[in-house]
Amino acid sequence: MNDDVSAFNHGPILCVVGARPNYMKIAPIIKELKRIPDSISTRLVHTGQHYDPEMNDAFFTQLQIPPPDIELNVGSASHAVQTAEIMQRFEPVIEAENPAAVLVVGDVNSTIACALVASKRQIPVIHVEAGLRSYDRSMPEEINRVLTDQIAELLFITEPEAHGNLLREGVAADRIHFVGNVMIDTLRRCQARAVPPQVTLAAVDQRDLFLSADAGYCILTLHRPSNVDDPRVFRHILETVRTVSERIPVVFPVHPRTRKQAATLNLQGLLESPRIALLQPLGYLEMLGLVSGAQVVLTDSGGLQEETTALGIPCITLRHNTERPVTEEQGTNTVVGHDRQRILAIVDDVLQTGGKRGRVPELWDGKAAVRIKQVLNEWLQQRQEKLAIAN
Ligand code: UD1
């Protein structure tokens, strides 16, 4: 793909973000690409898929991401409308910027939308966090991942299993680079600045309960459509959380779509308990501090499965599968689906023994972005040479 060097452009690398989990991934990449010597020209595009201040602003400040150069302001809509809207608004950006490549991260709608536009305009696509597979095509993210990897020219992977996944889908081996995990670059860089749990929980009723050294607390996050869209599933999860909270207090920063669903389905009552603290979505440094101090994390997030493995905190994943198997095989993660008895058994084990221990996976060492830049510099160099020969 894109071997026609006449299609090679000299503009910047356009880096795309759209939704909250993208920010932790792009931060170390932009920082590294801008670093002198060998800096690489970049421009940051924000699609506006996430737009609430608590889903955005704090992340840019805390992660020291420069303000976006270009904002597409798409906002929320159905998957089709949101993806189409991003595509329509991104195409003129490609035209104006004439980028050397478009770099996308993760698996959100903004990732596939911008990758698709770039590919149709013959601009090479670079995918960071490629090759992860849940093999569950009912997840919107799985579709985004598979399709983005099919049209990417350079694929940066976080764990070895991704390599096999990509080869099975026909991706050429020389396009795949195992560089480690940029999420963990951000975690390591921010650990010293994490906000202590006492500060984040200061305004919570019963704060003494949550901060007592004996009780500890569990962090809960929940936002996947498969968990919050079906009233029976959502109710079952919230009833389980209530039972968990009888054993250990639960701190729950609530994602906007989850808050909306709980209201629509009239399930908020299940969360009214002095042992469950409901918070607004938190900034990165607040969340990092809270997770670092937690005894256990209950989640359906991809990023938290990785962060808990890096921090050595037991994680219970409320899904039937994971696209990040290294977190189960080597890390602290256990994938449980919605099985209440298993969840309670793991919580009991955490309370009695400290729970599952693991080790930090290979190359999750805080240097993934450095490796990405090395590969990119070589790749840009090779393209320059091809161009010179062609002319
Ligand atoms: C998106 C990603 C998901 C990622 C998650 C992290 C896709 C398909 N999904 O899911 O992979 O794990 O981000 O948060 O791209 N909303 C607001 N304010 C906002 C953003 C969203 O109120 O700033 C509400 C809106 O009601 C919106 C809903 O949340 O319709 C869903 O937002 P959307 O970006 O479509 O998906 P997420 O569930 O956030």
Side-chain angles (χ1 to χ4, degrees), residues 18-21 48-56 75-79 82 107-111 140-141 144 223-225 255-258 260 300-302:
R20 187 172 59 175
Q49 177 176 345
H50 283 176
Y51 46 86
D52 280 0
E54 62 269 27
M55 303 292 280
N56 273 293
S76 298
S78 71
H79 284 256
Q82 186 177 62
D107 54 17
V108 302
N109 286 344
S110 303
T111 309
E141 294 81 4
N144 295 343
H223 74 284
R224 298 250 163 244
H255 188 285
R257 85 189 310 281
T258 307
K260 205 177 272 183
D300 60 8
S301 144

Side-chain angles (χ1 to χ4, degrees), residues 58-254:
F59 289 83
F60 276 77
T61 320
Q62 294 181 342
L63 302 179
Q64 297 161 340
I65 307 172
D69 299 295
I70 298 150
E71 304 208 42
L72 306 183
N73 296 313
V74 295
S76 298
S78 71
H79 284 256
V81 171
Q82 186 177 62
T83 308
E85 198 62 48
I86 297 169
M87 290 179 68
Q88 285 200 35
R89 295 186 194 195
F90 188 56
E91 189 169 43
V93 175
I94 294 241
E95 221 157 301
E97 298 287 333
N98 204 19
V102 169
L103 182 149
V104 294
V105 295
D107 54 17
V108 302
N109 286 344
S110 303
T111 309
I112 179 61
C114 294
L116 201 46
V117 174
S119 144
K120 299 246 175 178
R121 304 288 301 215
Q122 307 275 299
I123 306 293
V125 172
I126 301 163
H127 188 203
V128 176
E129 201 188 81
L132 297 180
R133 295 289 179 269
S134 64
Y135 292 100
D136 172 1
R137 294 253 169 136
S138 69
M139 280 181 85
E141 294 81 4
E142 182 75 355
I143 307 297
N144 295 343
R145 289 190 277 261
V146 169
L147 299 181
T148 303
D149 287 341
Q150 277 299 318
I151 54 180
E153 175 139 343
L154 274 182
L155 300 96
F156 292 110
I157 63 171
T158 54
E159 54 176 278
E161 195 149 327
H163 198 262
N165 294 338
L166 291 170
L167 292 183
R168 276 193 294 281
E169 290 170 13
V171 176
D174 61 358
R175 292 185 177 177
I176 308 168
H177 300 269
F178 178 32
V179 290
N181 193 331
V182 283
M183 262 300 219
I184 307 306
D185 289 14
T186 292
L187 184 142
R188 296 293 176 223
R189 197 170 116 217
C190 292
Q191 259 179 313
R193 289 188 292 132
V195 176
Q198 300 83 295
V199 176
T200 306
L201 297 175
V204 165
D205 292 341
Q206 309 281 336
R207 64 187 292 270
D208 293 343
L209 167 71
F210 290 90
L211 294 171
S212 95
D214 307 337
Y217 57 85
C218 164
I219 299 274
L220 168 70
T221 82
L222 208 57
H223 74 284
R224 298 250 163 244
S226 56
N227 282 340
V228 304
D229 285 1
D230 179 331
R232 278 176 314 137
V233 173
F234 196 12
R235 171 179 286 280
H236 173 86
I237 291 175
L238 294 184
E239 284 170 355
T240 306
V241 167
R242 246 189 122 83
T243 316
V244 168
S245 76
E246 288 159 14
R247 289 161 158 85
I248 180 167
V250 174
V251 179
F252 183 15
V254 190

